[in-house]
């Protein structure tokens, strides 16, 4: 009893870490198993960390498109992660998962972890993808972004040009109206002078 009290005291002082077993919602957990199967998990809803003692993690049949970088790195006891049944997007974000899979000794276990998109990689086993194939999708994404930016810039310049044209047309009409007003004013003054002379 005294020994347990001493360990607790040292833990509270920060000399020993306090290990609190937790189960990330909405998963179900056993001693060394974390079951998150069919929980509708997306990348944003995925737990930010798992307990270090986890040996098996089941992430199958969710809506995961990638795995956050470093998620499995500190799980020293981890043996297997069930990943099948997810719509994996094989773009730049899949590089971490591909690298992690390639380091696994039981790589054949992950043959069902396949790309759902893009179309030219659909059905390919992620663990066997070449890095160049993924990087090419990244470059395509950057090219698409650059093209979109150029289109936005062109549209913005066109709108500016249209605005300038409208301003020029408005100024021309304003000048005509002002000239007509001045001409009308002169005519009125001339008629007024003529009438005053006739009355005299």
């Amino acid at each position: 009893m005294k020994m347990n009290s001493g360990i607790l005291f040292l833990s509270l002082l920060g000399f020993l870490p306090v290990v609190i077993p937790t189960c990330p919602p909405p998963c179900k957990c056993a001693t060394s198993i974390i079951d998150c199967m069919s929980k509708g998990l997306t990348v944003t809803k995925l737990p930010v960390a798992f307990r270090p003692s986890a040996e098996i993690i089941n992430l199958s049949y969710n809506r995961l498109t990638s795995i956050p970088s470093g998620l499995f790195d500190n799980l020293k006891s981890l043996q297997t992660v069930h990943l099948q049944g997810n719509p994996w997007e094989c773009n730049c974000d899949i590089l971490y998962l591909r690298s992690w899979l390639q380091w696994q000794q039981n790589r054949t276990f992950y043959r069902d972890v396949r790309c759902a998109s893009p179309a030219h990689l659909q059905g390919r086993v992620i663990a066997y993808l070449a890095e160049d194939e993924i990087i090419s999708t990244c470059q395509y994404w950057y090219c698409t972004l650059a093209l979109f930016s150029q289109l936005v810039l062109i549209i913005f310049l066109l709108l500016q040009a249209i605005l300038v044209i409208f301003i020029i047309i408005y100024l021309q009409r304003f000048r005509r109206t002002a000239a007509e007003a001045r001409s009308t004013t002169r005519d009125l003054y001339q008629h007024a002078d003529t009438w005053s002379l006739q009355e005299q």
Side-chain angles (χ1 to χ4, degrees):
M1 182 69 179
K2 289 183 179 180
M3 182 177 292
N4 291 337
S5 300
I7 292 173
L8 179 60
F9 178 74
L10 290 173
S11 298
L12 291 173
L13 288 177
F15 291 105
L16 292 176
V18 179
V19 179
I20 302 174
T22 58
C23 185
C27 306
K28 298 178 181 179
C29 300
T31 305
S32 59
I33 301 173
I34 300 176
D35 184 10
C36 305
M37 183 178 71
S38 301
K39 299 298 182 182
L41 294 176
T42 61
V43 177
T44 55
K45 294 180 181 179
L46 193 65
V48 295
F50 295 102
R51 63 171 67 172
S53 61
E55 296 179 4
I56 299 173
I57 299 175
N58 191 347
L59 297 175
S60 58
Y61 301 102
N62 283 288
R63 291 182 291 164
L64 298 172
T65 55
S66 63
I67 295 293
S69 182
L71 183 63
F72 303 142
D73 290 352
N74 295 323
L75 305 178
K76 305 304 180 184
S77 301
L78 188 61
Q79 298 176 7
T80 305
V81 181
H82 295 269
L83 297 165
Q84 67 273 15
N86 285 289
W88 302 110
E89 294 181 3
C90 293
N91 53 27
C92 296
D93 295 332
I94 209 71
L95 285 171
Y96 168 73
L97 178 59
R98 169 190 167 273
S99 176
W100 184 85
L101 290 172
Q102 289 186 335
W103 278 98
Q104 303 309 302
Q105 294 180 351
N106 55 340
R107 198 186 301 181
T108 55
F109 177 79
Y110 298 100
R111 284 184 176 177
D112 291 334
V113 184
R114 299 171 180 264
C115 302
S117 62
H120 70 283
L121 294 178
Q122 189 173 8
R124 295 282 302 279
V125 179
I126 295 176
Y128 299 136
L129 285 176
E131 188 172 345
D132 292 342
E133 293 178 292
I134 300 174
I135 292 176
S136 66
T137 64
C138 302
Q139 292 172 348
Y140 174 77
W141 181 80
Y142 285 126
C143 290
T144 303
L145 180 61
L147 180 61
F148 177 75
S149 301
Q150 288 179 351
L151 287 174
V152 170
L153 180 60
I154 290 171
I155 292 171
F156 178 72
L157 292 174
L158 284 174
L159 289 175
Q160 277 192 326
I162 292 170
L163 180 61
V164 170
I165 291 170
F166 273 116
I167 291 173
I168 292 172
I169 293 172
Y170 174 78
L171 289 175
Q172 288 178 344
R173 288 183 178 178
F174 178 77
R175 287 175 182 173
R176 287 198 211 101
T177 304
E180 290 174 359
R182 285 195 297 269
S183 177
T184 303
T185 303
R186 283 197 301 268
D187 291 342
L188 288 174
Y189 278 123
Q190 288 175 358
H191 286 302
D193 292 339
T194 303
W195 291 335
S196 62
L197 289 173
Q198 288 177 353
E199 289 177 357
Q200 291 177 359

